[in-house]
Amino acid sequence: MFTLDHLRFALGQRCLLETQALDFIPGQVHGLIGHNGSGKSTLLKLLARQMTPTSGSLSLDDRPLADFGNREFARTVAYLPQHLPAADTLTGRELVGFGRYPWHGLLGRPGAEDEAAIDRAIALTHTEAFADQQVDTLSGGERQRVWLAMLLAQGSRYLLLDEPLAALDIAHQIEVMELVSHLSHTLGLGIVIVLHDINLAARYCDRLVALHGGRVLAEGPPSEMMNPTTLKAIYGVEMQIIAPPQSAHQIAVPI
């Protein structure tokens, strides 16, 4: 699992993130919540080795992240940034195939094992219909599912997703979150995802980590986090918790 201990990241005199003890375990969806600028993406980038901590320790399976080679780390952790690189000339299958790079390198030829991993990833994300279509012709939700398939083809045990719902309508947001939850629980993947919608986070995440001003304000299962006092501290607005009829999921409504 990911283990953070007194982790700190600063730019000059400005501290962007400071945590005490914090863990992210496999087989669960961990939602990072909080207002803009609270440190969610910074934390995710530190986990993804996109940035280096200023101080403190950050380890994976009891090994410092700095001890991993690049390809070894990519075989263990897959990262989907908020701003995705262009994939306009690629078909869905070609994009998914890029997930196999950590296993055969840039110049290596994909083998039977790679093709099997690609087929499996496409099947798990139900993206068969998009395999031969150009990625730029797909809708936002369809593209996100193909990118998720690429991460699965990578064969990593941890997926780090930075605001994958940002450009999606509510129907596709639900579709992507249902897929994320299903993949985590059926494949035992540890998933850390940055989310803005507290109700989607509470419905589909196993654990929530709330950040405020670069510090962890609260953490725990949604059942503990979904209360007016905690949500007011996180978002700065009064909220009412409602339990809709015929639903096991509480929702928060600003008042």
Side-chain angles (χ1 to χ4, degrees):
M1 65 180 177
F2 278 105
T3 303
L4 292 69
D5 187 16
H6 291 85
L7 195 70
R8 187 174 186 271
F9 178 78
L11 291 176
Q13 299 300 314
R14 184 185 175 199
C15 181
L16 300 181
L17 184 74
E18 191 167 11
T19 74
Q20 300 297 315
L22 190 62
D23 297 327
F24 296 101
I25 67 176
Q28 289 191 359
V29 181
H30 306 262
L32 302 183
I33 61 173
H35 59 78
N36 288 339
S38 60
K40 303 184 300 297
S41 292
T42 298
L43 175 54
L44 203 72
K45 289 176 181 177
L46 290 168
L47 296 177
R49 294 208 318 184
Q50 300 296 302
M51 300 189 305
T52 303
T54 304
S55 62
S57 66
L58 174 54
S59 62
L60 176 58
D61 299 336
D62 296 324
R63 289 178 59 191
L65 256 61
D67 287 358
F68 286 81
N70 289 336
R71 288 177 63 177
E72 180 189 12
F73 186 74
R75 292 176 181 180
T76 308
V77 179
Y79 170 60
L80 192 66
Q82 180 179 352
H83 302 292
L84 298 174
D88 297 348
T89 62
L90 300 175
T91 66
R93 186 177 182 86
E94 288 171 338
L95 177 59
V96 176
F98 274 100
R100 298 305 297 168
Y101 166 75
W103 299 93
H104 58 67
L106 184 63
L107 301 179
R109 295 189 60 180
E113 185 176 348
D114 298 301
E115 295 299 332
I118 293 169
D119 289 339
R120 177 174 178 267
I122 290 173
L124 285 168
T125 53
H126 308 292
T127 50
E128 294 91 342
F130 316 135
D132 296 321
Q133 296 187 43
Q134 286 196 320
V135 173
D136 64 340
T137 66
L138 303 177
S139 71
E142 292 166 349
R143 277 198 297 271
Q144 286 295 63
R145 285 165 59 191
V146 173
W147 279 100
L148 283 173
M150 188 201 74
L151 299 190
L152 291 178
Q154 195 168 322
S156 305
R157 293 185 289 114
Y158 294 89
L159 307 185
L160 309 177
L161 312 176
D162 195 353
E163 296 191 40
L165 311 183
L168 305 184
D169 59 42
I170 185 62
H172 285 113
Q173 289 179 11
I174 292 172
E175 179 183 274
V176 169
M177 286 306 299
E178 286 181 343
L179 176 59
V180 166
S181 177
H182 175 74
L183 293 172
S184 174
H185 297 151
T186 58
L187 302 179
L189 302 177
I191 297 180
V192 186
I193 180 170
V194 174
L195 295 168
H196 281 291
D197 190 316
I198 182 57
N199 291 316
L200 284 175
R203 179 170 182 173
Y204 292 105
C205 296
D206 302 294
R207 180 167 166 251
L208 300 177
V209 177
L211 293 113
H212 186 89
R215 297 176 182 270
V216 176
L217 183 65
E219 60 170 310
S223 59
E224 295 179 4
M225 301 281 282
M226 289 289 279
N227 67 78
T229 302
T230 300
L231 295 180
K232 172 68 180 298
I234 297 170
Y235 295 106
V237 297
E238 299 285 350
M239 291 194 184
Q240 180 180 2
I241 306 301
I242 298 175
Q246 301 178 340
S247 174
H249 305 285
Q250 295 179 316
I251 61 173
V253 180
I255 56 175

